[in-house]
Amino acid sequence: MRTGEAFLPLHDGKAPRWLFDRMKKLSALLIEAMIELYGTEELLRRLSDPFWFQSFGCLLGFDWHSSGLTTTLCGAMKEGLRGREKFLGFFIAGGKASRALKTPEEIARWSDIVGLNGDALILASRLTAKIDNSALQDGYTLYHHVVFFDARGNWSIVQQGMNAVVGYARRYHWLSFSAKDFVNDPHSGIASPVRHRKVLNLVSSESASNREAILNLLVNASSSEIKRLFMQENHMVSHVEVDAKRFLRKFEELKGMEFREFRDLLLLKGVGAKTLRALSLTAEVLTGRAPSYKDPVRYTYAYGGKDGHPFPVDRETYDRTISILENIVRRAELSRGDKERMLRKLALISS
C-alpha cells in the first residue's frame, strides 16, 4: 500500500462557506462515481492511504499544507453524502472534537438500520483511538476521529492528533482488511511532518516481548518490588517520566484484574499514556524486554487552493466539473454500464 509523509502544520480558521459548499457537492459526486466504478471496498482502501487522502483534499481545493485538510475533507464528505448513505451502502461516523465522541452512537444507529454488527465496529473505533493516543506515544493528542464503513462491515479509520509544541498535526490511517491484529503493526500508514527520535510504540511487532512482560508484571510482581525499583537512589525508572506514587496506586488497582490479551488492558478505562509508559518502563527494567522506540512513519491541485496556492480556486472550472459529474451520476436512465463507460472516459480525458 502506498503510504508516505505529509506536512500538516497547525492552522487556525476554517474553509469559507463558498468553498465548503462546493467541496460537499464535488466530494459526494466523486465518492458516488468511485463506488459505481470500483465498489466500497476499494474506496475504503484509498481512504486508508495517506497519499491518496491528501491528494483527494487537494483536488477539492483545500490547502495541501494545512492540518485543516483532514477535518474539512471528512466534514465535507459526511455532509455531502447526507441522505444517500443507505442507497450507497457507505457510511461516515465521527468528526472533530465533540463530534468524535458521538462516533459509537452514530455507528450503532446505522448498524441497526442496515443489520450490521455494530459492536465490532465500535470496538475497532475504541481500540484505534486508544492505540494512537496512548499505546503510540509520539507527542500528538487526538482531536479528530472518523470511521468510514460499508454495508458489509468493512471499515477505514482516519484520525488526527496535534502537537502544539512543534506546531504540527499528525494523521493516522487504519484499514480493516490489513489490521488483522490491533496490537501488532496494525497501521496502514501514518502521515507526519517530522520524524521523532524517541517514540514509544507499544503496538510494534518489536514490542511483543515487552507487552507480554507487562501482563506478567500485573500477575507476578509485588508492590514492594515495584516500590524498590522506583525509590532506589539511582532512579532506574526516571521520575521525570513517571509519577511513582500515582503509578503505585494504579498498579494496585490493576493487580486484581485478569488480562488475557494486551488489548484488554488498552480498553480498560483509566489506563492512559502515563500508566502504559510506566508499565512498559518497569517491565523493561525488571525483565530486560525492551519496547520499540521506532517511529512507524513510512516514507496537485486541480482547481487551485483556498489560500491562493498554487493559484486561487477557479470557481468556474470547479462548478463546471460538478455539473458534468452530476449529469453522469444522477442520470437514472443510464445503465450501470453506460455510467461506467462515461466515467472512465472522463478519467482518461482528465489524465
Side-chain angles (χ1 to χ4, degrees):
M1 185 170 294
R2 291 172 300 151
T3 58
E5 297 179 356
F7 291 87
L8 299 169
L10 290 171
H11 280 183
D12 294 328
K14 58 182 180 180
R17 175 52 59 182
W18 64 263
L19 176 59
F20 188 69
D21 286 342
R22 287 173 169 84
M23 290 178 73
K24 289 193 300 184
K25 292 179 183 177
L26 185 54
S27 65
L29 288 166
L30 289 168
I31 286 172
E32 288 196 41
M34 282 186 279
I35 291 175
E36 187 83 36
L37 287 171
Y38 310 114
T40 56
E41 291 187 12
E42 177 60 23
L43 175 57
L44 290 169
R45 285 191 179 92
R46 295 186 182 196
L47 288 168
S48 76
D49 181 338
F51 271 154
W52 188 90
F53 187 94
Q54 194 77 9
S55 299
F56 192 32
C58 291
L59 175 72
L60 297 175
F62 207 79
D63 304 336
W64 68 273
H65 67 316
S66 169
S67 60
L69 180 143
T70 305
T71 57
T72 304
L73 175 56
C74 289
M77 286 190 283
K78 190 174 183 180
E79 289 293 317
L81 291 176
R82 193 176 299 281
R84 294 185 63 77
E85 298 96 335
K86 189 176 179 182
F87 170 76
L88 294 170
F90 184 77
F91 312 92
I92 305 175
K96 182 181 177 182
S98 60
R99 289 187 289 275
L101 300 177
K102 297 181 179 179
T103 305
E105 175 187 330
E106 294 178 358
I107 291 174
R109 180 168 60 85
W110 281 119
S111 297
D112 287 342
I113 291 172
V114 298
L116 274 177
N117 180 358
D119 291 342
L121 285 167
I122 292 171
L123 177 63
S125 170
R126 288 182 61 203
L127 268 172
T128 54
K130 194 66 172 283
I131 286 169
D132 286 337
N133 215 33
S134 299
L136 176 64
Q137 297 185 26
D138 53 4
Y140 291 80
T141 303
L142 292 187
Y143 67 96
H144 175 270
H145 175 83
V146 164
V147 181
F148 303 95
F149 59 102
D150 65 16
R152 290 183 291 276
N154 302 307
W155 53 264
S156 174
I157 292 174
V158 175
Q159 48 195 7
Q160 187 159 288
M162 71 165 69
N163 185 326
V165 175
V166 298
Y168 277 92
R170 187 173 196 177
R171 195 170 66 233
Y172 308 86
H173 292 252
W174 292 74
L175 181 63
S176 60
F177 309 129
S178 59
K180 303 302 181 186
D181 185 344
F182 278 98
V183 297
N184 204 57
D185 293 333
H187 293 95
S188 62
I190 298 176
S192 174
V194 290
R195 289 184 182 274
H196 299 271
R197 293 181 180 177
K198 194 76 169 178
V199 171
L200 177 60
N201 183 8
L202 287 173
V203 292
S204 166
S205 58
E206 295 178 9
S207 294
S209 62
N210 184 256
R211 291 195 299 267
E212 183 182 354
I214 289 172
L215 297 183
N216 289 335
L217 183 75
L218 294 172
V219 174
N220 300 315
S222 66
S223 296
S224 58
E225 186 178 11
I226 301 297
K227 190 172 182 179
R228 284 198 303 273
L229 179 71
F230 276 96
M231 302 307 177
Q232 61 181 290
E233 290 183 3
N234 62 353
H235 300 301
M236 290 182 71
V237 179
S238 170
H239 284 205
V240 175
E241 295 174 311
V242 177
D243 182 330
K245 291 182 179 178
R246 182 177 296 176
F247 173 63
L248 286 168
R249 287 197 300 270
K250 178 58 69 174
F251 181 78
E252 281 299 320
E253 289 179 26
L254 298 174
K255 273 288 290 181
M257 301 179 185
E258 292 185 9
F259 302 102
R260 291 181 299 174
E261 302 178 59
F262 186 73
R263 78 176 196 174
D264 295 334
L265 178 62
L266 285 180
L267 289 170
L268 190 66
K269 188 175 181 180
V271 176
K274 290 181 179 178
T275 299
L276 287 172
R277 187 173 189 83
L279 287 169
S280 175
L281 287 167
T282 306
E284 179 183 359
V285 171
L286 286 176
T287 68
R289 299 180 184 181
S292 171
Y293 289 103
K294 292 180 181 177
D295 196 329
V297 170
R298 308 166 190 177
Y299 288 101
T300 96
Y301 284 92
Y303 310 105
K306 176 175 73 71
D307 290 346
H309 299 289
F311 53 86
V313 172
D314 182 347
R315 301 190 196 191
E316 183 180 350
T317 302
Y318 207 125
D319 291 342
R320 191 184 309 125
T321 304
I322 290 174
S323 177
I324 292 170
L325 276 172
E326 198 163 32
N327 283 334
I328 296 173
V329 172
R330 297 281 185 256
R331 284 172 65 179
E333 68 271 14
L334 285 177
S335 68
R336 179 183 175 87
D338 289 336
K339 283 186 181 181
E340 286 188 7
R341 281 192 291 275
M342 291 183 73
L343 289 169
R344 292 186 191 280
K345 184 177 292 186
L346 181 63
L348 286 173
I349 293 171
S350 301
S351 62

